[in-house]
Amino acid sequence: MDIIPRSAWGAVPPAKPITDPWSPWLGGVAVHHHGNSYPWPWDSYYMENHEDCFGQVREVQQAKMADGYDDIPYNYLVCHHGGIFEGRGPKVRSAANDTKTPGANQNYFAIMGMAETNDTPTQAMVTSIRELIGHLRQYEQAGPRILGHRDLDPDSECPGNLYPNVGNGSLDPGPIPDPPTPAPHPSLTIQPRSQWGARPARAVERVDPGVRTGFTVHYSAGPPTQTPRQIQNYHMDSNGWDDIGYNFLVDTAGRVYEGRGWYVLGAHAAPHNTTHIGVCFIGQDGQATALTATAIRALYYRANAITGKTLAQTWHGGLSGQSTQCPGSALRAWVQGGMQGDDLPITDGTGDPHGGMTSVRTVAAQQSAVNGLGHSPQLTVDGIWGPLTDAGVRWLQTKVGVAADGLWGPATEAACKAFTGDSSSGGMSSVRSVAAQQSAVNGLGHSPQLTVDGIWGPLTDAGVRWLQTKVGVAADGLWGPATEAAYNAYLDEGARLAVDGVFGPATITATQRAIGVTADGAWGPASVRGLQRHLNTWSGAGLTVDGDMGPGTVSALQRHLNRMVNAGLTVDGAWGPATIKALQNALNLARL
């Protein structure tokens, strides 16, 4: 199957690097058509000469970027000749699936059939879309679902006349054959924090890799459906930690996620956090797979290479001073047996993660600021933290008169503005343009709708503060990485419930999903037991798991909600509208 690369159809670069969380294995593929959204100099989207389709793809990118998108929003486009054009490609999250369904963009590739509303899809188009879906399943971790855009956005008619193909099976590639014999040295890739939407750390304490002596395996003790971001929320909001506690996390599919990374002090097993790298399996005892073991083993050998020594293979409960069953009997036995498994090299997709702070200004914006003050040689503005960027930020800090610690926090931001005479008090566009902020505010239902004109003013400032309150971050009017991460969490994982104090089927279903029990909308003893286990794991409630939703369980839930979302509840064990509203708010923010 031939895919026409971006370079061949003349794509322009994205307006900014796109690093939104991306997990297509949780969903699959959403099919679109062009429709009649824009005026074109032709009556039909079907061109006689295939060469003319290249210009049409360029027109789509230009029109969408003029509407405020950072790039063409589709992962791929397919013309009526059967040509497959690379849009965002397989490694970047789509932006075409709207936000009415949680996870629509994060969990689904977007494939656009280049057809207008009245065009009939050609067999060549249908065949190429089917082959592309098979390719994405086999090689790019696409999930099994094939939906039309209208299935994710009930207000849309998209994909027009392609929609019958979505339902009749003609786009389904059928069973995926075994992949070809792998190359002698396949590898795993660490997904960086930006890819899973991590919140910025409140503080960063670096550790020289030379002081590491051990490698410690944990489990989360929660359902394997948990995301790293949900675990980070527990650690930061319930435990009050500066960041997620683990250095890395691994799920049942063997995917590896950067937590604090190789060079940052963890918070996983005091007093061993400096000496031991902590890796957490996302799941419970007995749920780790062979893929999990392979990934943890790969991390272990990568850790040995980074530290220049053979680290002790340890498990959480086996460290001195640790009274815990973590990581469960199965993983404990695996570690005790020498962490046996396949050997795969691991690619560190995180760049050099051991420095910097992005809660105020992105790495790229810091690099631009350093260059703007005359640093020589000029830094490459690539958004990757490394020794040159670290030295450049320290140089800037010395120049503007603050402690040269390499961490761009509020003090550095204020000093830099004072030094440059920047008196602006509104907005921050280093993460998202003003127009994109205005569009996001409107998308969450702000009334009255903001004018999307890219101009910062009092109404936009108020709208951004309204959005920040809605997604659970400080309402300071500055759209930085913290707001971006919270906004993505709200769209991708938030339940989007009406906060009405009614414990109805929608709220029950969202609660059941969050605590890892059957999501059927019926609240009974099995759901209560799941809630009790959840509170015991994530809030240290010490409840008896008996399925009784009595005052003790309600009080534990109230204490948990006060920690996670500052609910301000009176801990009285009374199950009523105030507690339910706090629960709904926590579910909306993915912070139960």
Side-chain angles (χ1 to χ4, degrees):
M1 185 183 67
D2 293 326
I3 296 177
I4 300 165
R6 289 171 64 95
S7 59
W9 59 263
V12 299
K16 69 176 181 66
I18 300 170
T19 57
D20 299 318
W22 180 226
S23 49
W25 53 85
L26 298 178
V29 170
V31 179
H32 297 248
H33 76 322
H34 177 266
N36 297 326
S37 304
Y38 298 94
W40 301 103
W42 44 78
D43 295 328
S44 169
Y45 220 67
Y46 287 176
M47 307 302 291
E48 181 177 353
N49 296 317
H50 180 45
E51 291 75 14
D52 293 329
C53 299
F54 289 64
Q56 288 182 317
V57 179
R58 287 195 298 273
E59 292 277 359
V60 173
Q61 184 187 38
Q62 291 165 8
K64 292 296 186 180
M65 292 182 73
D67 274 353
Y69 289 90
D70 294 316
D71 193 4
I72 193 168
Y74 308 99
N75 298 96
Y76 297 92
L77 303 90
V78 180
C79 71
H80 78 285
H81 302 281
I84 301 173
F85 293 83
E86 179 188 28
R88 294 189 169 202
K91 305 302 183 185
V92 179
R93 184 169 88 167
S94 64
N97 299 331
D98 293 302
T99 59
K100 295 183 176 65
T101 298
N105 284 317
Q106 178 172 349
N107 299 337
Y108 289 86
F109 285 97
I111 299 175
M112 193 256 264
M114 294 168 60
E116 293 199 358
T117 300
N118 295 323
D119 289 336
T120 299
T122 65
Q123 186 57 50
M125 176 184 287
V126 171
T127 298
S128 287
I129 293 176
R130 180 174 64 246
E131 291 177 353
L132 175 59
I133 292 172
H135 172 83
L136 295 175
R137 287 182 181 176
Q138 187 171 4
Y139 297 104
E140 302 296 349
Q141 298 184 302
R145 303 189 72 188
I146 302 173
L147 302 179
H149 182 196
R150 68 175 68 176
D151 297 319
L152 297 169
D153 177 5
D155 296 328
S156 174
E157 293 298 320
C158 183
N161 290 332
L162 264 170
Y163 192 65
N165 299 94
V166 172
N168 65 18
S170 60
L171 298 181
D172 192 333
I176 300 301
D178 292 334
T181 302
H185 297 290
S187 66
L188 301 165
T189 300
I190 300 172
Q191 294 193 23
R193 292 169 63 91
S194 60
Q195 283 297 102
W196 57 265
R199 295 159 60 180
R202 298 190 184 106
V204 175
E205 184 175 345
R206 300 188 185 99
V207 174
D208 185 331
V211 307
R212 303 289 199 187
T213 59
F215 181 95
T216 303
V217 177
H218 300 253
Y219 69 171
S220 70
T225 54
Q226 279 184 313
T227 64
R229 186 161 54 198
Q230 288 170 324
I231 295 173
Q232 184 189 42
N233 287 339
Y234 292 125
H235 288 179
M236 295 181 73
D237 299 323
S238 184
N239 296 353
W241 296 349
D242 290 328
D243 195 0
I244 194 168
Y246 308 109
N247 297 95
F248 297 95
L249 303 95
V250 177
D251 65 13
T252 54
R255 289 180 286 262
V256 182
Y257 305 91
E258 177 192 20
R260 297 197 180 195
W262 299 113
Y263 305 95
V264 177
L265 181 72
H268 56 94
H272 305 278
N273 292 317
T274 300
T275 55
H276 285 61
I277 294 171
V279 176
C280 176
F281 161 61
I282 303 174
Q284 301 170 352
D285 189 19
Q287 294 178 326
T289 65
L291 295 172
T292 304
T294 296
I296 295 176
R297 180 179 169 90
L299 279 170
Y300 171 71
Y301 283 106
R302 174 67 175 158
N304 288 345
I306 288 173
T307 60
K309 63 182 75 171
T310 300
L311 300 178
Q313 299 175 353
T314 65
W315 65 97
H316 187 188
L319 295 174
S320 60
Q322 306 298 303
S323 178
T324 175
Q325 295 299 310
C326 178
S329 58
L331 275 176
R332 180 174 66 246
W334 176 71
V335 175
Q336 289 173 321
M339 296 171 59
Q340 298 299 309
D342 295 331
D343 286 321
L344 291 180
I346 191 161
T347 301
D348 197 341
T350 62
D352 183 3
H354 68 278
M357 176 182 288
T358 58
S359 57
V360 172
R361 181 181 288 237
T362 65
V363 172
Q366 294 177 45
Q367 292 166 331
S368 295
V370 170
N371 291 341
L373 289 192
H375 185 269
S376 182
Q378 294 271 288
L379 300 177
T380 300
V381 182
D382 56 8
I384 299 174
W385 190 271
L388 295 179
T389 299
D390 183 85
V393 170
R394 292 173 190 267
W395 171 87
L396 177 144
Q397 290 173 317
T398 300
K399 192 173 184 73
V400 302
V402 293
D405 58 5
L407 301 175
W408 193 301
T412 300
E413 180 73 8
C416 184
K417 283 190 170 186
F419 186 88
T420 60
D422 181 1
S423 60
S424 63
S425 59
M428 176 184 289
S429 58
S430 58
V431 172
R432 181 179 286 250
S433 69
V434 172
Q437 294 178 46
Q438 293 165 329
S439 295
V441 170
N442 291 341
L444 290 193
H446 185 269
S447 181
Q449 293 272 288
L450 300 178
T451 301
V452 182
D453 56 9
I455 300 172
W456 189 269
L459 294 180
T460 299
D461 182 83
V464 169
R465 292 175 189 268
W466 171 86
L467 177 145
Q468 289 173 316
T469 299
K470 193 173 184 71
V471 303
V473 293
D476 58 6
L478 300 176
W479 192 302
T483 300
E484 181 74 6
Y487 172 71
N488 284 330
Y490 184 89
L491 291 182
D492 296 334
E493 297 175 8
R496 296 188 233 179
L497 299 167
V499 182
D500 56 10
V502 177
F503 196 59
T507 300
I508 292 171
T509 299
T511 304
Q512 291 169 323
R513 288 197 185 101
I515 62 179
V517 300
T518 302
D520 57 8
W523 192 254
S527 297
V528 176
R529 287 193 290 271
L531 176 63
Q532 290 168 330
R533 287 191 293 268
H534 183 85
L535 293 170
N536 286 345
T537 298
W538 298 107
S539 202
L543 297 169
T544 300
V545 181
D546 57 8
D548 180 14
M549 191 71 175
T553 298
V554 175
S555 293
L557 175 61
Q558 291 169 330
R559 284 190 290 269
H560 184 63
L561 292 171
N562 284 344
R563 282 194 293 268
M564 294 297 290
V565 293
N566 297 314
L569 294 171
T570 300
V571 181
D572 56 9
W575 179 249
T579 300
I580 295 169
K581 285 182 179 179
L583 172 62
Q584 290 167 328
N585 185 46
L587 292 166
N588 285 343
L589 299 177
R591 292 187 184 178
L592 182 54

